[in-house]
Every structure is written in C-alpha cells, then in structure tokens.
Amino acid sequence: MVDRQGRMIDYMRISVTDRCNFRCRYCIPPGGAPCIRTGGAPLEYGEILQIVRAALELGICHFRVTGGEPFVRPGLTGFLREIKELPGVETLSVTTNGSLLEGRLEELREIGIYSLNISLDTLDPDRFEWLTGKRELEKVLAAIRQAAEMGFPHLKINCVPLEGWNEDELCGLAALAREYPLDVRFIELMPLGAGTVWRRVPQSRVEERLEEQYGPLLAEKEETREGRGPAVYCRPAGFQGKIGFISAISHEFCESCSRIRLLSDGTLKPCLNGPGRVKLGEMIRRGAGTEELKEAMRAVIFEKPARHGFEEIKGIAAGEEWACGGEEGCFMSSIGG
Ligand code: SAM
Ligand code: SF4
C-alpha cells in the first residue's frame, strides 16, 4: 500500500524474539534489554502468520525474519516454511548472528530463503568475545564459508563500524567480498538504545579507508527483488561481491523507505524511530479478525513518519534512563534492526 508521503510500503521485518544468545554491546545494554515488555508471551507463530496474511492483503509481499537472534526460538525453520508457502509471498529473508546456523543451511536453501544476512563486526576472536560475550567467531566464520560455498543466494555480511573499535578492520572485513561471492555491507550505527553510548563511523570515512586499500569504489546497481533496499553498492576491482553502505544518518533514505516492523510482542512499528504504532498482538488476543487487523495496519502505515528524526535523540543514556526518543521498546534487539 501507499502511505501519506506516496511511498510504496511492501516490506515487513518480523522480529520473532527479543532474546539473543549474544550481548553485542551496541545493541543490548549492560543489564540486558527489557524482554517482552508487555509482560506477556511473544506472539505465537500462528498469530504472526495471521498478521502476515493481513499484510499480504495490503500488498506487503517481502518479509524478513529477524530478532533478537531468530534461531534461538524453537521451531523457526518450520515457521519459515509456513510463511514461504503463503500465496503472495514474493521473498522471505533472514537476518542472523550466524552462530546457530550449523546444520541448518541446507534446509534454509531448500525452503527458498531469498537472502541471508549474517552480522559480523570483527575478525579478531578476542574482540569478538568482548563485543558479543561469546567466543564464537569461528562458528560464525564457518557458517559464512559454508553458505558461500553452497552458493547461498544473496548472501550478505552486515558490519557496524564503531569509532575507535573496529575501524582498523574494515578493509579486512570488506575482503570477505573479494574472497567469497557475497556482499559486505557497512551499516552506520544508529543512536538507539545501547547504540547511543558508541560513536558511528560515517560512510565517507569507511569509503576513504577502503579506497586507500582497494582503489576506486565503482558504483554498482543492486539487482534485488526484495523491495527497494536502503543500501547503495559499489565494487572494488577484483572483488567477487559488492560493498554496500546503509547510512541512515549521513545518507538518509527515509524518502524511499518501503518497510515496516513487527516486534515480537506484536507491536507494529511503521518507523524504526518515530511515532505511531499499533499493538496487533493485543488485538488478536481480543479476537480481532483479518479485516480488523487490516484496518488497524492500514491506518498506522498510512501515517508512517516522513523521517526517522534520529538527530532529535540527544545521544547518551541519561542516568538510569536510556535515551530512546521517548519511546518504549527502543532497543535494536527488540526491534530487529
Ligand atoms: N541477531 C541478529 C543479528 O545480529 O543479525 C538479528 C537482529 S540484530 C538487532 C540486526 C542487525 O541490527 C545486526 O546487523 C546488528 O548489527 C544491527 N544493529 C544493532 N544495533 C544497531 C544500532 N544501534 N545501529 C545500527 N545497527 C544496529
Ligand atoms: Fe543479538 Fe543481533 Fe543484537 Fe548482537 S546485534 S546482541 S546478535 S540481536
């Protein structure tokens, strides 16, 4: 469907859990993120499917499952299969930290996952452990290698450059796209929840570092069926895959945003960081049917904010309260990225 700004909204990110086996320091705050804030259980898979069916009737046809870490939730692959089989679903993709993929990649490919995104911020085992709380870099790298060797379609590595932390590794991380047929994307840190205590590395600085090492970054077109993504791509000479940049702050892409987000408690958020939301989970539990869900979704999607307004967040966590733009549920681990 089209929103008030005239944007075509056809892409839904679905967070199936706000729990995670990692504790990435820019995503989850030291004491842990408040899980399932409503105090209730996360939506059942059947309830999510009900929302997906309503979304399909509104013309939303691209879906990405995320978390927290989606693979900590039991039964995920069966759920993915069920979504994929719904008539009208054009693409179904997954974002994961890659640590729980062992033994699952064949099944994911067989289900027909369109694109697999694996997050990776460092190639150093000690740094990895410091950042995530787990000594599991090798597991993640093994999953990346296996997926690449299987020729997993649209395989992407997501890296968040953090000032003074992994800036010296950006060329090494980018080199994964030279070594394997996959894309490496640099995502600008967003000032949300635990991310507010870190400093982002702007796209221009990442580009400079890569050009010093690999020469000119020649612009590339993205060939994708998965909605109109926010990434811009280039390819240094000799690379098999592309380098992408997703820069919500320095190269804002709100004007062409096509996505909405379903949180694991059933809240539909039309913007990563903006007003407007509807608690579809509560509606389902009150007995709402597809028509009622559709109406509620239509209203909130139509009013999707024009811009994310990140600059209005003052930055650092204030005392005990995290700066969240005045919103509840503002941690990436509950929104799903
Ligand atoms: N656990 C999965 C993973 O790590 O890919 C899926 C959920 S995670 C919240 C999705 C993406 O959000 C990851 O690539 C992560 O790096 C990114 N992310 C988390 N906090 C962020 C922030 N403050 N700014 C930008 N990206 C962030
Ligand atoms: Fe977990 Fe992903 Fe957040 Fe890391 S970025 S803590 S893996 S949800």
Side-chain angles (χ1 to χ4, degrees):
M1 67 167 277
V2 174
D3 75 357
R4 185 187 282 285
Q5 315 298 326
R7 297 171 294 196
M8 173 62 78
I9 310 300
D10 59 3
Y11 175 28
M12 180 187 271
R13 296 176 68 96
I14 302 170
S15 170
V16 292
T17 178
D18 55 3
R19 294 173 192 279
C20 188
N21 55 334
F22 284 6
R23 289 285 175 274
C24 302
R25 290 173 185 248
Y26 59 82
C27 179
I28 294 186
C35 285
I36 300 297
R37 300 166 307 282
T38 52
L43 286 186
E44 300 288 334
Y45 286 139
E47 293 171 329
I48 302 177
L49 288 169
Q50 213 176 319
I51 294 170
V52 170
R53 280 193 208 94
L56 283 163
E57 291 188 23
L58 293 175
I60 292 160
C61 54
H62 301 288
F63 298 88
R64 177 173 290 274
V65 167
T66 173
E69 173 46 44
F71 287 97
V72 301
R73 184 154 178 187
L76 185 79
T77 48
F79 169 66
L80 293 173
R81 199 180 288 280
E82 283 190 87
I83 299 195
K84 191 64 195 3
E85 284 168 0
L86 290 176
V89 171
E90 280 193 29
T91 64
L92 173 63
S93 303
V94 176
T95 296
T96 169
N97 63 28
S99 65
L100 301 170
L101 285 175
E102 197 183 344
R104 287 178 159 138
L105 284 166
E106 283 296 350
E107 191 179 1
L108 293 179
R109 186 164 65 175
E110 183 254 314
I111 290 169
I113 295 306
Y114 176 73
S115 138
L116 182 65
N117 288 4
I118 302 179
S119 304
L120 181 65
D121 302 312
T122 175
L123 293 168
D124 178 293
D126 295 328
R127 283 189 186 176
F128 186 94
E129 182 176 4
W130 184 84
L131 184 76
T132 66
K134 288 280 176 71
R135 197 159 185 87
E136 297 194 343
L137 172 64
E138 250 328 299
K139 258 193 197 173
V140 176
L141 288 176
I144 292 172
R145 264 183 240 117
Q146 194 197 341
E149 279 155 16
M150 281 167 61
F152 208 100
H154 305 101
L155 180 61
K156 298 174 205 154
I157 307 305
N158 285 344
C159 167
V160 178
L162 299 166
E163 190 178 87
W165 193 75
N166 60 359
E167 280 188 80
D168 57 338
E169 291 198 70
L170 302 180
C171 292
L173 285 155
L176 290 170
R178 184 175 57 186
E179 202 176 330
Y180 301 107
L182 51 76
D183 296 340
V184 173
R185 294 145 20 120
F186 294 102
I187 302 180
E188 239 173 41
L189 179 77
M190 286 176 266
L192 207 74
T196 55
V197 292
W198 290 80
R199 292 179 78 91
R200 72 191 161 87
V201 181
Q203 178 178 331
S204 54
R205 218 154 80 212
V206 181
E207 283 173 333
E208 262 169 44
R209 282 182 178 268
L210 298 186
E211 289 200 319
E212 270 168 28
Q213 177 90 20
Y214 298 119
L217 303 173
L218 308 170
E220 278 266 329
K221 259 192 119 79
E222 188 186 15
E223 307 111 27
T224 175
R225 285 190 291 125
E226 192 196 29
R228 294 161 307 287
V232 291
Y233 285 96
C234 60
R235 192 191 304 254
F239 273 50
Q240 301 187 59
K242 301 188 284 299
I243 301 297
F245 296 96
I246 302 182
S247 308
I249 313 292
S250 69
H251 295 69
E252 188 184 295
F253 40 76
C254 301
E255 209 173 89
S256 60
C257 183
S258 60
R259 58 192 59 192
I260 54 173
R261 293 172 165 82
L262 180 66
L263 276 53
S264 53
D265 68 351
T267 302
L268 184 74
K269 254 175 99 70
C271 177
L272 188 58
N273 176 55
R277 55 185 56 214
V278 55
K279 298 193 172 183
L280 299 176
E282 287 180 7
M283 290 179 64
I284 290 179
R285 286 168 189 178
R286 280 202 320 267
T290 305
E291 283 311 311
E292 209 181 318
L293 289 177
K294 261 168 63 185
E295 272 325 299
M297 290 167 76
R298 202 195 308 275
V300 98
I301 294 171
F302 186 71
E303 298 298 345
K304 179 174 157 75
R307 301 192 49 242
H308 56 52
F310 271 129
E311 67 284 356
E312 284 145 31
I313 298 182
K314 292 294 175 277
I316 306 300
E320 294 303 300
E321 294 295 319
W322 290 87
C324 300
E327 288 192 4
E328 52 161 33
C330 59
F331 292 95
M332 275 297 197
S333 56
S334 50
I335 301 172

